[in-house]
Amino acid sequence: MRFGVLRFPGTCDEVDAQLACERVGEAVILWHGDRDLQGVDAVVVPGGFSYGDYLRVGAIARFAPIMESVVEYAHAGGIVLGICNGFQVLCEAGLLPGALLPNKSLRFVCRQVDLVVERGGTRFTNACAEGERLSIPAKHTTGCWYAPPALHERVEANGQVLLRYAPGENFNGSLADVAGVCNEAGNVFGLMPHPEHAVDPLTGSVDGLKLFESIRDHVTAHVAA
Amino acid sequence: MSTRYRVLVRPKAGILDPQGQAVERALPALGFKGVANVHVGRLVELDVDDASRLPEMCEKLLANPLIEDYEIVES
């Protein structure tokens, strides 16, 4: 299978994302000014500071030409994974519920966090067991997930929360410890921590690889077949 | 003929506003007493030909309606 990893001006984690994807398949970088998704089987919107985070994080990137194609692709059921800034962009684009607010500490935090898999068996977590703990690094200033009460209730009722911060690990103040959330259809998923930075034993954990393996397994079983 | 407008964007009531809280804590530390309910938002100044389109601009770009309120002021 082939992943497409977006690159906006200011993106900085696309190379790690590409390397992570290449552990389970092929990957190409897709430039923000293009519209062609080159027939990829899944899109990754990586971390960084797209368009300098001007105005609000993710607010400008959502209007990039490539994002029009990503929105269309997502509405047609295509697999889209948003990491950190990518999560923020997907929320701004209306593909994912909620918004990311500044960390309650107002500080940039870079640390390893433990996440709990709330739902296994999804396109993004089928390589994980429910309740499994994943150790994945997080590094952001604006990662406090928030949704108004009615929306939050709906997200929980639909089982859209796939990952939560483990007890005591919610350093950014996210509502209900939400670390990663998907859309109603389950084909778009975003999380603040960086699974692409946890794919090699050299950096302490390979737990992040499970998300990429999940996507590969899903695509291999359902799409490519 | 364009007119100058100011768009004031602020966190919605009840939403965590750590910037406002930080300022609220900092002021007494500098000796400014009696300050409460501090909120930090954003000011966007712009000249527009058609002011009737301002609300749409706010909804689509200048503010995130999920977490922010906006106010359009002619200046």
Side-chain angles (χ1 to χ4, degrees):
Chain A
M1 73 159 291
R2 204 151 65 110
F3 290 86
V5 181
L6 304 197
R7 174 184 280 154
F8 300 103
T11 297
C12 61
D13 292 325
E14 76 276 30
V15 175
D16 269 23
Q18 186 181 17
L19 291 170
C21 291
E22 284 172 351
R23 298 209 166 213
V24 302
E26 294 169 45
V28 288
I29 297 283
L30 301 172
W31 180 241
H32 72 115
D34 296 334
R35 287 170 197 276
D36 184 6
L37 296 183
Q38 300 182 25
V40 295
D41 303 300
V43 168
V44 177
V45 191
F49 306 84
S50 56
Y51 296 91
D53 279 351
Y54 292 160
L55 191 65
R56 275 188 317 280
V57 291
I60 311 282
R62 96 175 240 220
F63 297 100
I66 195 85
M67 279 307 294
E68 285 177 29
S69 307
V70 171
V71 168
E72 213 173 280
Y73 175 76
H75 285 151
I79 305 275
V80 182
L81 169 67
I83 302 167
C84 196
N85 187 232
F87 183 18
Q88 297 161 344
V89 171
L90 295 176
C91 286
E92 282 282 338
L95 289 177
L96 287 175
L100 283 312
L101 299 169
N103 295 348
K104 65 177 180 194
S105 66
L106 268 186
R107 288 176 195 279
F108 173 82
V109 176
C110 178
R111 54 164 284 200
Q112 201 74 15
V113 287
D114 270 13
L115 309 175
V116 177
V117 178
E118 176 93 359
R119 276 188 66 206
T122 73
R123 294 164 175 86
F124 301 94
T125 58
N126 62 56
C128 314
E130 213 149 289
E132 184 178 346
R133 280 171 88 114
L134 305 178
S135 173
I136 290 179
K139 42 163 199 174
H140 57 252
T141 310
T142 310
C144 172
W145 185 80
Y146 170 83
L151 176 60
H152 177 228
E153 218 170 278
R154 209 161 65 232
V155 164
E156 295 282 359
N158 290 338
Q160 289 170 246
V161 178
L162 306 190
L163 297 173
R164 282 189 217 272
Y165 296 104
E169 297 284 283
N170 179 4
F171 65 90
N172 58 30
S174 290
L175 188 62
D177 298 331
V178 170
V181 68
C182 69
N183 64 344
E184 241 179 277
N187 62 306
V188 182
F189 175 60
L191 75 168
M192 285 313 296
H194 288 262
E196 82 281 18
H197 294 332
V199 298
D200 193 303
L202 186 68
T203 55
S205 165
V206 292
D207 293 350
L209 203 50
K210 292 186 177 172
L211 301 189
F212 294 94
E213 288 167 348
S214 297
I215 296 173
R216 177 201 58 199
D217 293 349
H218 172 80
V219 168
T220 314
H222 295 88
V223 184
Chain B
M1 180 54 196
S2 63
T3 314
R4 189 123 187 101
Y5 280 87
R6 283 187 291 172
V7 174
L8 308 173
V9 182
R10 47 175 74 90
K12 268 192 195 295
I15 284 199
L16 186 69
D17 176 16
Q19 290 192 83
Q21 289 171 0
V23 172
E24 192 167 318
R25 280 195 305 269
L27 286 170
L30 294 171
F32 298 102
K33 307 287 184 213
V35 181
N37 299 317
V38 179
H39 291 286
V40 175
R42 202 164 50 241
L43 163 67
V44 182
E45 287 187 308
L46 62 178
D47 295 337
V48 291
D49 292 340
D50 182 1
S52 72
R53 303 211 65 190
L54 272 169
E56 199 186 337
M57 293 182 209
C58 290
E59 296 280 338
K60 284 197 166 165
L61 179 64
L62 301 182
N64 180 341
L66 213 53
I67 50 174
E68 294 167 329
D69 287 326
Y70 61 86
E71 187 182 335
I72 299 164
V73 188
E74 193 175 339
S75 57

